[in-house]
Amino acid sequence: MRPKRTLMINSALGWLAGATGPAAADPVAYLGIAFTFGGANAGKVGLTAKVLSSEKEDDWVAGTGVTYYVGAVNDFGLDLSVGYNGTDNFSVLVGYDFLQYAPVGSIGWSDTKKEAASPPPS
């Protein structure tokens, strides 16, 4: 592996470890389809697995994960993303893939939950 690429991967992994610390309260799993918008695998489709910062429906989230690009030259990716948890376990994310050196978008399933209703004031 080239030294520059190794440094980039190590930096990304360190940043990911630090970024997920505050998300430890209620993270959620995410599985989806990813699309690249540049780099060596521009326009390629991949299968992605991520950890999102919130399990709440209708909430903005941050996420980190890995992607396997089917039939691509560089077949794996590691990304940081931001997005939105919709209703019915659906999430949309956009971010940057540090192994593909390209922007990436994804849509998929996340195990979201509705926020519990607050009891009425007494």
Side-chain angles (χ1 to χ4, degrees):
M1 202 179 281
R2 297 176 297 197
K4 182 178 177 184
R5 187 172 182 129
T6 302
L7 179 61
M8 181 75 149
I9 292 169
N10 289 339
S11 297
L13 290 175
W15 195 86
L16 290 175
T20 57
D26 57 355
V28 66
Y30 170 88
L31 298 171
I33 305 289
F35 310 92
T36 58
F37 298 105
N41 290 330
K44 294 294 183 180
V45 175
L47 304 173
T48 188
K50 302 182 191 306
V51 175
L52 305 183
S53 61
S54 176
E55 65 181 0
K56 296 176 186 172
E57 287 186 353
D58 298 319
D59 196 17
W60 292 99
V61 294
T64 182
V66 297
T67 302
Y68 173 71
Y69 294 98
V70 181
V73 176
N74 300 323
D75 50 357
F76 284 98
L78 175 69
D79 69 273
L80 285 176
S81 300
V82 294
Y84 190 75
N85 282 344
T87 56
D88 298 323
N89 299 56
F90 179 78
S91 298
V92 177
L93 301 163
V94 294
Y96 187 79
D97 190 314
F98 292 97
L99 298 181
Q100 301 297 321
Y101 303 104
V104 64
S106 63
I107 58 173
W109 173 88
S110 57
D111 190 19
T112 57
K113 298 181 179 27
K114 291 184 181 184
E115 193 168 347
S118 302
S122 17

